[in-house]
Amino acid sequence: MTQINVRVDGASYVDDVEPRTLLVHYLREQLGKVGTVVGCDTSNCGACTVHLDGESVKSCTVLAVQADGSEVTTIEGIADGATLHPMQKAFHEQHGLQCGYCTPGMIMASIDLLKNNPNPSEHEIREGIEGNLCRCTGYVNIVRAVQQAAGEMSSTTTGAQA
Amino acid sequence: MIPAAFAYARPTTVDEALSAIAAGGEDVKIMAGGQSLIPVMRLRLAAPETVVDLTKVTELRGVREDGDSLVIGSMTTHSDILRDPLIARYGKLIAEATETVADPAVRHRGTFGGALAHADPAGDLPAVALALDAEFVIAGPGGARRSVPAAAFFVDYLTTALEDGELLVEIRVPKLGEGWGVRYEKFNRVAQAWSIVAVAAAVRREGSTIAEARIGLTNMGSTPLRATAVEQALVGADVSLETVTAAAAQAAEGTEPSSDLNAQADYRQHLARVLTGRAVRAAAGL
């Protein structure tokens, strides 16, 4: 066992983990943060995407010990109380989902995309979320949701969240 | 899926890393970004006794210039590469290929040196390093350093000149500045897929003549390859569609690509010719 010190969604944790524990399993099974899901378990689908020190990562492809000393943000940590993050709101309003399984990762990847490129073209959005697979929607409403969020987030120019 | 248990070391300097590798037992794996190693360990295709994680070895991360060379630390992430001003100015071929690697989340973790040391023939960066005649600077037990040219670094499928106990510390590539045009042409079927075939081309023009040509092939054999016949046909030739097309027709000479679910060998050879033509035309400004 190795002791780790990690901040997750604004709270600090000190935990013992086995080195082989994947970050996604630590989040779900030790912290109960089941909003982050395991999709493919092969690093392809992106459903488990979280932010590690502000950058999107596939949490099935990072060891929990590697988060020692770091800040993790999951889908559970981006809303401001009862107020949804603009990206969550946009996915809701544009119905950027059907079954919803890819949605946590899709939202975390999309927030990362806008951090680096606040006003992406449709092509840039599709490239930006290429690591996240949706097997229901054909991506049309997902792209619309990201476009809506980009508009709202750049007009408010806060961008402080996540 | 959960990896088999392993001992974990997280050094913060190259010296500590070399010590951890030396002390790690019979089966030590060095983890750079982990974006290939962790999936393989999850599938239990690898079950190392010890993992030496380099992510905190900050001295291995970053790009600097040294005269006519760029020096890229092995732990420089793909995202670092895409943001780096020196790469943007002198390493456009590296940037073009890096943009096509996997997806943004993987590029945040995956590293330049890790991708080269992994030496997957379908990986995008080995062919670029070979085309650029990169020099691989390797630290060994006790800290001794040696340098291996790209032509000798890639030995076979997933196999490099790195010996047990050694660590890839930096990669030196020539600056390609004024006069050079570059293109990485990649053929794959779906988002984030590996290259079925890809071609890295760098061409330096002097007026209407091609003065230098460097062409690397991805996934045309068990290692990256140089398209030597094409390079020889291009040097000294006029920049024209006819000469480039005739030269590109030799791109598959001497290659023995594999056949798999994605493509038969003869189709890969066809792709190499077509993609070389496209890459050289773009690099030469045609």
Side-chain angles (χ1 to χ4, degrees):
Chain A
M1 289 287 193
T2 304
Q3 190 178 76
I4 60 170
N5 258 286
V6 59
R7 276 182 75 77
V8 181
D9 297 335
S12 295
Y13 299 88
V14 180
D15 274 310
D16 289 328
V17 296
E18 272 194 277
R20 62 175 171 164
T21 303
L22 304 174
L23 179 58
V24 68
H25 291 140
Y26 171 69
L27 293 172
R28 288 177 58 83
E29 290 161 25
Q30 278 185 254
L31 302 190
K33 297 229 165 234
V34 293
T36 300
V37 294
V38 179
C40 67
D41 221 0
T42 60
S43 312
N44 286 286
C45 80
C48 65
T49 303
V50 300
H51 295 174
L52 181 61
D53 292 327
E55 290 194 317
S56 63
V57 299
K58 294 181 174 182
S59 62
C60 76
T61 317
V62 176
L63 303 173
V65 284
Q66 295 185 294
D68 181 36
S70 291
E71 176 102 33
V72 177
T73 306
T74 78
I75 187 71
E76 298 185 26
I78 58 172
D80 181 9
T83 307
L84 293 178
H85 185 283
M87 191 66 73
Q88 290 174 302
K89 178 169 163 280
F91 269 71
H92 178 214
E93 291 177 0
Q94 295 295 332
H95 197 61
L97 60 133
Q98 282 180 28
C99 84
Y101 204 83
C102 73
T103 311
M106 203 60 90
I107 287 174
M108 298 311 285
S110 299
I111 293 171
D112 183 76
L113 165 66
L114 294 190
K115 190 186 75 182
N116 298 312
N117 181 359
N119 289 296
S121 66
E122 179 182 340
H123 177 74
E124 288 168 338
I125 292 171
R126 289 179 181 273
E127 290 278 323
I129 58 173
E130 74 166 311
N132 295 73
L133 303 181
C134 169
R135 299 287 82 149
C136 303
T137 67
Y139 301 96
V140 172
N141 287 358
I142 292 172
V143 172
R144 281 187 192 137
V146 178
Q147 286 169 325
Q148 174 183 317
E152 289 184 9
M153 290 165 72
S154 62
S155 65
T156 56
T157 65
T158 55
Q161 296 178 82
Chain B
M1 291 176 286
I2 297 168
F6 53 84
Y8 177 73
R10 197 187 200 191
T12 57
T13 66
V14 169
D15 287 345
E16 282 178 20
L18 290 167
S19 300
I21 294 163
E26 286 293 301
D27 187 9
V28 182
K29 267 288 181 192
I30 301 170
M31 185 157 76
Q35 301 301 286
S36 293
L37 180 58
I38 292 175
V40 163
M41 287 171 59
R42 258 187 341 230
L43 293 167
R44 308 234 175 163
L45 296 172
E49 181 181 346
T50 303
V51 170
V52 178
D53 177 2
L54 300 181
T55 45
K56 291 292 174 188
V57 185
T58 49
E59 67 190 280
L60 292 178
R61 191 167 174 183
V63 181
R64 62 186 168 87
E65 51 188 335
D66 180 12
D68 293 333
S69 299
L70 289 180
V71 184
I72 304 172
S74 56
M75 285 299 292
T76 307
T77 67
H78 302 309
S79 295
D80 292 341
I81 292 275
L82 294 174
R83 285 191 288 254
D84 189 89
L86 287 170
I87 294 287
R89 186 159 179 197
Y90 300 116
K92 288 195 179 76
L93 184 59
I94 293 169
E96 275 206 17
T98 300
E99 268 179 8
T100 75
V101 171
D103 59 66
V106 169
R107 293 197 291 268
H108 286 152
R109 300 288 295 173
T111 65
F112 189 68
L116 294 170
H118 186 49
D120 191 317
D124 297 294
L125 298 169
V128 172
L130 184 66
L132 294 176
D133 285 318
E135 284 282 330
F136 291 73
V137 180
I138 295 166
R145 300 213 170 184
R146 67 186 181 109
S147 182
V148 176
F153 183 78
F154 299 106
V155 175
D156 201 349
Y157 180 75
L158 305 183
T159 307
T160 69
L162 284 163
E163 303 281 352
D164 286 349
E166 290 190 324
L167 178 65
L168 176 61
V169 291
E170 62 191 25
I171 300 94
R172 303 175 70 95
V173 296
K175 289 180 182 170
L176 300 189
E178 288 295 302
W180 284 93
V182 301
R183 178 60 68 97
Y184 190 68
E185 276 288 329
K186 174 168 176 170
F187 189 84
N188 60 3
R189 291 186 304 118
V190 294
Q192 60 172 301
W194 295 85
S195 289
I196 294 174
V197 173
V199 176
V203 172
R204 186 170 67 81
R205 285 177 60 157
E206 284 179 4
S208 61
T209 305
I210 293 175
E212 286 183 79
R214 296 164 168 273
I215 298 162
L217 305 176
T218 296
N219 215 10
M220 286 298 290
S222 60
T223 64
L225 298 173
R226 284 290 278 270
T228 315
V230 182
E231 293 175 350
Q232 286 169 354
L234 287 172
V235 172
D238 283 342
V239 179
S240 73
L241 275 180
E242 292 70 30
T243 53
V244 169
T245 305
Q250 303 176 62
E253 272 187 18
T255 63
E256 291 181 19
S258 59
S259 292
D260 58 30
L261 281 175
N262 287 312
Q264 297 296 306
D266 61 343
Y267 179 56
R268 281 203 161 87
Q269 293 188 321
H270 168 75
L271 284 174
R273 291 187 284 266
V274 171
L275 298 175
T276 299
R278 287 180 191 167
V280 174
R281 284 198 297 277
L286 281 169

